[in-house]
Amino acid sequence: MSELSIFSDEETDLLVSLPYKVGVWVSHADDEDGEIDDEREMTSLAVCIKAVAKEYDGPGLVDDIARETLKREPFWLDWTDRAFNILPDCEKAIALLKQKPGLGDAKNYRAALLEIATTVGQAYGEFNAFDDIPEDEGFFAGIAGKIVGGFSGLSKDDANHPANISAAEDSAIAQLAAALKIDDE
């Protein structure tokens, strides 16, 4: 039985759509001309969600959410269209998680969403200096694995915050971190 069974359909939809919508939201924060940046960011987003599912593989809520996000790929286009005002949804999701499964799952969910946001923010900036970038998923999996490994939960104020994220994406991640704030931190 999935850990998601404690939530209503509406609550599950909220929790499952946010990992994808967070990535889209950060991607749109600094949208360059052309499609190359969008393609790399969306590839990075999908690979990162897969990495989240593996990182928490086993009993637990965050991996169940990530696997359900992947299962609902047919909804991604619709979620993209609804990814422009996600901060209230983030606040709602954290409150819901603190209430039902508890603080630990809320913190893990927050960390996963911030890692997804950071990975997407780095996807184009990290690679745009190179002329010949492999477009296969394995390349992006390596990058996502480095970022997702250990779920560092980097925030805007951390010394190790990636410098290759644009100012607009950095601002979006800071806003996201604020919306995902857990009072007990």
Side-chain angles (χ1 to χ4, degrees), residues 12 17 22 32 34 36 41 43 48 51 54 63 71 73 79 95 99 106 121 128 140 164 166 170-171 175 177:
T12 299
S17 67
V22 159
E32 293 192 16
I36 294 173
E41 289 169 342
T43 299
C48 191
K54 284 184 180 177
D63 63 326
K71 285 180 191 173
E73 186 174 353
W79 292 348
Q99 174 192 2
N128 66 0
F140 288 100
N164 62 343
S166 73
D170 187 48
S171 175
Q175 291 173 44

Side-chain angles (χ1 to χ4, degrees), residues 2-13 15 61 65 93 96-102 105:
S2 169
E3 297 276 333
L4 288 168
S5 63
I6 65 172
F7 299 104
S8 71
D9 288 346
E10 182 181 320
E11 292 167 339
T12 299
D13 289 344
L15 295 172
L61 181 61
I65 290 171
L96 174 66
L97 289 168
K98 283 173 51 180
Q99 174 192 2
K100 285 199 176 180
D105 283 320

Side-chain angles (χ1 to χ4, degrees), residues 16-163:
V16 168
S17 67
L18 272 177
Y20 186 81
K21 291 194 302 191
V22 159
V24 170
W25 188 70
V26 169
S27 174
H28 288 164
D30 185 22
D31 199 18
E32 293 192 16
D33 290 337
E35 297 297 318
I36 294 173
D37 63 324
D38 295 332
E39 290 170 10
R40 289 184 186 152
E41 289 169 342
M42 292 304 98
T43 299
S44 179
L45 173 56
V47 170
C48 191
I49 293 169
K50 289 176 188 173
V52 168
K54 284 184 180 177
E55 180 69 24
Y56 285 98
D57 194 20
L61 181 61
V62 174
D63 63 326
D64 283 352
I65 290 171
R67 281 192 290 278
E68 189 64 27
T69 302
L70 293 169
K71 285 180 191 173
R72 295 186 186 193
E73 186 174 353
F75 296 102
W76 288 6
L77 185 57
D78 180 52
W79 292 348
T80 298
D81 293 339
R82 296 185 295 133
F84 294 98
N85 186 24
I86 64 163
L87 298 180
D89 287 344
C90 291
E91 293 170 357
K92 188 176 179 181
I94 289 299
L96 174 66
L97 289 168
K98 283 173 51 180
Q99 174 192 2
K100 285 199 176 180
L103 188 59
D105 283 320
K107 287 182 177 184
N108 287 339
Y109 186 75
R110 177 186 193 271
L113 292 184
L114 289 174
E115 293 296 344
I116 289 168
T118 301
T119 300
V120 170
Q122 287 182 313
Y124 186 64
E126 183 162 333
F127 311 130
N128 66 0
F130 301 101
D131 292 332
D132 196 19
I133 298 173
E135 294 295 334
D136 67 336
E137 189 175 295
F139 179 73
F140 288 100
I143 299 303
K146 284 188 223 171
I147 295 169
V148 173
F151 282 104
S152 63
L154 293 178
S155 71
K156 181 179 177 230
D157 299 322
D158 286 334
N160 295 326
H161 192 268

